Short mmCIF file of all heavy atoms in Angstrom, two decimals:
data_model
loop_
_atom_site.label_atom_id
_atom_site.label_comp_id
_atom_site.label_asym_id
_atom_site.label_seq_id
_atom_site.Cartn_x
_atom_site.Cartn_y
_atom_site.Cartn_z
N TYR A 1 -112.75 -4.66 127.64
CA TYR A 1 -113.81 -4.60 128.63
C TYR A 1 -113.70 -5.80 129.55
O TYR A 1 -113.73 -6.94 129.10
CB TYR A 1 -115.18 -4.56 127.96
CG TYR A 1 -115.30 -3.44 126.96
CD1 TYR A 1 -114.97 -3.63 125.62
CD2 TYR A 1 -115.70 -2.16 127.36
CE1 TYR A 1 -115.05 -2.59 124.70
CE2 TYR A 1 -115.78 -1.12 126.45
CZ TYR A 1 -115.45 -1.34 125.13
OH TYR A 1 -115.52 -0.31 124.22
N ILE A 2 -113.58 -5.52 130.85
CA ILE A 2 -113.49 -6.58 131.84
C ILE A 2 -114.84 -6.72 132.56
O ILE A 2 -115.48 -5.72 132.88
CB ILE A 2 -112.36 -6.31 132.85
CG1 ILE A 2 -112.16 -7.50 133.80
CG2 ILE A 2 -112.57 -5.01 133.61
CD1 ILE A 2 -110.92 -7.37 134.68
N HIS A 3 -115.26 -7.94 132.77
CA HIS A 3 -116.43 -8.18 133.60
C HIS A 3 -116.30 -9.55 134.25
O HIS A 3 -115.48 -10.36 133.85
CB HIS A 3 -117.74 -8.05 132.81
CG HIS A 3 -117.94 -9.08 131.74
ND1 HIS A 3 -117.30 -9.04 130.53
CD2 HIS A 3 -118.75 -10.18 131.69
CE1 HIS A 3 -117.69 -10.06 129.78
NE2 HIS A 3 -118.56 -10.76 130.47
N ARG A 4 -117.10 -9.78 135.26
CA ARG A 4 -117.01 -11.03 136.01
C ARG A 4 -118.39 -11.61 136.26
O ARG A 4 -119.38 -10.88 136.38
CB ARG A 4 -116.26 -10.84 137.33
CG ARG A 4 -116.91 -9.89 138.30
CD ARG A 4 -115.96 -9.53 139.46
NE ARG A 4 -115.74 -10.64 140.36
CZ ARG A 4 -114.84 -10.66 141.33
NH1 ARG A 4 -114.04 -9.61 141.50
NH2 ARG A 4 -114.72 -11.72 142.11
N ASP A 5 -118.43 -12.91 136.35
CA ASP A 5 -119.63 -13.64 136.68
C ASP A 5 -119.31 -14.41 137.95
O ASP A 5 -118.69 -15.47 137.90
CB ASP A 5 -120.03 -14.57 135.55
CG ASP A 5 -121.34 -15.29 135.80
OD1 ASP A 5 -121.77 -15.39 136.96
OD2 ASP A 5 -121.96 -15.76 134.82
N ASN A 6 -119.72 -13.87 139.08
CA ASN A 6 -119.36 -14.48 140.35
C ASN A 6 -120.00 -15.84 140.56
O ASN A 6 -119.45 -16.69 141.27
CB ASN A 6 -119.71 -13.54 141.50
CG ASN A 6 -118.78 -12.35 141.58
OD1 ASN A 6 -117.72 -12.34 140.96
ND2 ASN A 6 -119.18 -11.34 142.34
N ALA A 7 -121.16 -16.06 139.97
CA ALA A 7 -121.80 -17.36 140.09
C ALA A 7 -120.96 -18.46 139.44
O ALA A 7 -121.03 -19.62 139.85
CB ALA A 7 -123.19 -17.33 139.48
N LYS A 8 -120.19 -18.09 138.43
CA LYS A 8 -119.33 -19.04 137.73
C LYS A 8 -117.86 -18.90 138.10
O LYS A 8 -117.03 -19.62 137.54
CB LYS A 8 -119.49 -18.87 136.22
CG LYS A 8 -120.89 -19.12 135.70
CD LYS A 8 -120.96 -18.92 134.20
CE LYS A 8 -122.36 -19.20 133.68
NZ LYS A 8 -122.44 -18.99 132.21
N ASN A 9 -117.56 -17.98 139.00
CA ASN A 9 -116.17 -17.71 139.37
C ASN A 9 -115.30 -17.47 138.15
O ASN A 9 -114.19 -18.00 138.03
CB ASN A 9 -115.60 -18.83 140.23
CG ASN A 9 -116.18 -18.87 141.62
OD1 ASN A 9 -116.48 -17.83 142.20
ND2 ASN A 9 -116.35 -20.06 142.17
N THR A 10 -115.81 -16.65 137.26
CA THR A 10 -115.15 -16.41 135.98
C THR A 10 -115.02 -14.92 135.72
O THR A 10 -115.95 -14.15 135.99
CB THR A 10 -115.94 -17.07 134.84
OG1 THR A 10 -116.03 -18.48 135.08
CG2 THR A 10 -115.25 -16.85 133.50
N VAL A 11 -113.87 -14.53 135.19
CA VAL A 11 -113.65 -13.17 134.75
C VAL A 11 -113.33 -13.20 133.26
O VAL A 11 -112.68 -14.13 132.78
CB VAL A 11 -112.53 -12.47 135.55
CG1 VAL A 11 -111.19 -13.18 135.37
CG2 VAL A 11 -112.42 -11.00 135.17
N TYR A 12 -113.80 -12.19 132.56
CA TYR A 12 -113.64 -12.13 131.12
C TYR A 12 -112.90 -10.85 130.73
O TYR A 12 -112.98 -9.83 131.42
CB TYR A 12 -115.00 -12.12 130.41
CG TYR A 12 -115.87 -13.29 130.76
CD1 TYR A 12 -116.77 -13.22 131.82
CD2 TYR A 12 -115.82 -14.47 130.02
CE1 TYR A 12 -117.58 -14.29 132.15
CE2 TYR A 12 -116.63 -15.54 130.34
CZ TYR A 12 -117.51 -15.45 131.40
OH TYR A 12 -118.31 -16.53 131.71
N LEU A 13 -112.23 -10.92 129.61
CA LEU A 13 -111.66 -9.73 128.99
C LEU A 13 -112.08 -9.74 127.53
O LEU A 13 -111.54 -10.51 126.73
CB LEU A 13 -110.14 -9.70 129.12
CG LEU A 13 -109.48 -8.41 128.65
CD1 LEU A 13 -109.82 -7.26 129.60
CD2 LEU A 13 -107.96 -8.58 128.55
N GLN A 14 -113.05 -8.90 127.21
CA GLN A 14 -113.48 -8.75 125.83
C GLN A 14 -112.59 -7.71 125.18
O GLN A 14 -112.49 -6.58 125.66
CB GLN A 14 -114.94 -8.30 125.78
CG GLN A 14 -115.47 -8.07 124.37
CD GLN A 14 -115.57 -9.33 123.57
OE1 GLN A 14 -116.18 -10.30 124.02
NE2 GLN A 14 -114.97 -9.35 122.39
N MET A 15 -111.96 -8.09 124.09
CA MET A 15 -111.02 -7.22 123.40
C MET A 15 -111.53 -6.97 121.98
O MET A 15 -111.79 -7.92 121.24
CB MET A 15 -109.63 -7.86 123.35
CG MET A 15 -109.08 -8.24 124.72
SD MET A 15 -107.41 -8.95 124.63
CE MET A 15 -107.78 -10.49 123.79
N VAL A 16 -111.66 -5.71 121.63
CA VAL A 16 -112.10 -5.34 120.30
C VAL A 16 -111.09 -4.38 119.69
O VAL A 16 -110.26 -3.80 120.38
CB VAL A 16 -113.50 -4.70 120.31
CG1 VAL A 16 -114.52 -5.66 120.90
CG2 VAL A 16 -113.50 -3.40 121.09
N ASN A 17 -111.16 -4.23 118.37
CA ASN A 17 -110.25 -3.36 117.64
C ASN A 17 -108.80 -3.63 118.04
O ASN A 17 -108.03 -2.73 118.36
CB ASN A 17 -110.59 -1.89 117.87
CG ASN A 17 -109.88 -0.96 116.92
OD1 ASN A 17 -109.46 -1.36 115.83
ND2 ASN A 17 -109.71 0.30 117.33
N LEU A 18 -108.43 -4.89 117.99
CA LEU A 18 -107.09 -5.28 118.40
C LEU A 18 -106.03 -4.71 117.47
O LEU A 18 -106.24 -4.57 116.27
CB LEU A 18 -106.99 -6.80 118.45
CG LEU A 18 -107.64 -7.42 119.69
CD1 LEU A 18 -107.93 -8.89 119.46
CD2 LEU A 18 -106.75 -7.24 120.91
N LYS A 19 -104.88 -4.41 118.07
CA LYS A 19 -103.75 -3.83 117.36
C LYS A 19 -102.55 -4.76 117.48
O LYS A 19 -102.46 -5.54 118.43
CB LYS A 19 -103.39 -2.47 117.95
CG LYS A 19 -104.53 -1.47 117.96
CD LYS A 19 -104.13 -0.19 118.68
CE LYS A 19 -105.26 0.81 118.70
NZ LYS A 19 -104.86 2.05 119.39
N PRO A 20 -101.62 -4.68 116.54
CA PRO A 20 -100.41 -5.52 116.67
C PRO A 20 -99.69 -5.33 118.00
O PRO A 20 -99.12 -6.28 118.53
CB PRO A 20 -99.55 -5.06 115.49
CG PRO A 20 -100.54 -4.65 114.46
CD PRO A 20 -101.65 -3.99 115.23
N ASP A 21 -99.72 -4.12 118.56
CA ASP A 21 -99.07 -3.88 119.84
C ASP A 21 -99.76 -4.59 121.00
O ASP A 21 -99.21 -4.64 122.10
CB ASP A 21 -99.02 -2.38 120.14
CG ASP A 21 -97.96 -1.66 119.33
OD1 ASP A 21 -97.12 -2.33 118.70
OD2 ASP A 21 -97.97 -0.40 119.32
N ASP A 22 -100.94 -5.13 120.78
CA ASP A 22 -101.61 -5.92 121.80
C ASP A 22 -101.07 -7.33 121.89
O ASP A 22 -101.46 -8.08 122.80
CB ASP A 22 -103.12 -5.97 121.54
CG ASP A 22 -103.79 -4.62 121.66
OD1 ASP A 22 -103.44 -3.85 122.57
OD2 ASP A 22 -104.68 -4.34 120.83
N THR A 23 -100.22 -7.72 120.97
CA THR A 23 -99.65 -9.06 120.98
C THR A 23 -98.87 -9.28 122.27
O THR A 23 -97.96 -8.52 122.60
CB THR A 23 -98.74 -9.27 119.77
OG1 THR A 23 -99.53 -9.21 118.57
CG2 THR A 23 -98.03 -10.62 119.83
N ALA A 24 -99.23 -10.32 123.00
CA ALA A 24 -98.61 -10.59 124.29
C ALA A 24 -99.19 -11.88 124.84
O ALA A 24 -100.20 -12.39 124.35
CB ALA A 24 -98.86 -9.45 125.28
N VAL A 25 -98.57 -12.37 125.89
CA VAL A 25 -99.18 -13.39 126.72
C VAL A 25 -100.03 -12.68 127.76
O VAL A 25 -99.54 -11.79 128.46
CB VAL A 25 -98.13 -14.28 127.40
CG1 VAL A 25 -98.81 -15.29 128.33
CG2 VAL A 25 -97.30 -15.02 126.35
N TYR A 26 -101.27 -13.06 127.86
CA TYR A 26 -102.20 -12.43 128.79
C TYR A 26 -102.40 -13.33 130.00
O TYR A 26 -102.67 -14.53 129.85
CB TYR A 26 -103.54 -12.16 128.10
CG TYR A 26 -103.48 -10.96 127.19
CD1 TYR A 26 -102.78 -11.01 126.00
CD2 TYR A 26 -104.11 -9.76 127.55
CE1 TYR A 26 -102.70 -9.90 125.17
CE2 TYR A 26 -104.04 -8.65 126.73
CZ TYR A 26 -103.33 -8.72 125.54
OH TYR A 26 -103.26 -7.62 124.72
N TYR A 27 -102.29 -12.73 131.17
CA TYR A 27 -102.39 -13.46 132.42
C TYR A 27 -103.59 -12.99 133.23
O TYR A 27 -103.78 -11.79 133.43
CB TYR A 27 -101.14 -13.26 133.28
CG TYR A 27 -99.87 -13.79 132.65
CD1 TYR A 27 -99.07 -12.97 131.87
CD2 TYR A 27 -99.47 -15.10 132.87
CE1 TYR A 27 -97.91 -13.45 131.29
CE2 TYR A 27 -98.31 -15.58 132.30
CZ TYR A 27 -97.53 -14.76 131.52
OH TYR A 27 -96.37 -15.24 130.96
N CYS A 28 -104.35 -13.92 133.71
CA CYS A 28 -105.39 -13.66 134.69
C CYS A 28 -104.75 -13.62 136.07
O CYS A 28 -103.88 -14.44 136.39
CB CYS A 28 -106.44 -14.76 134.61
SG CYS A 28 -107.78 -14.63 135.79
#
């Protein structure tokens, strides 16, 4: 789930039920 807080100039990626195939370097 992606969401952003423009007041903080921040974007989030909430990740649940992670799988081994999700292993990676994540880039904003």
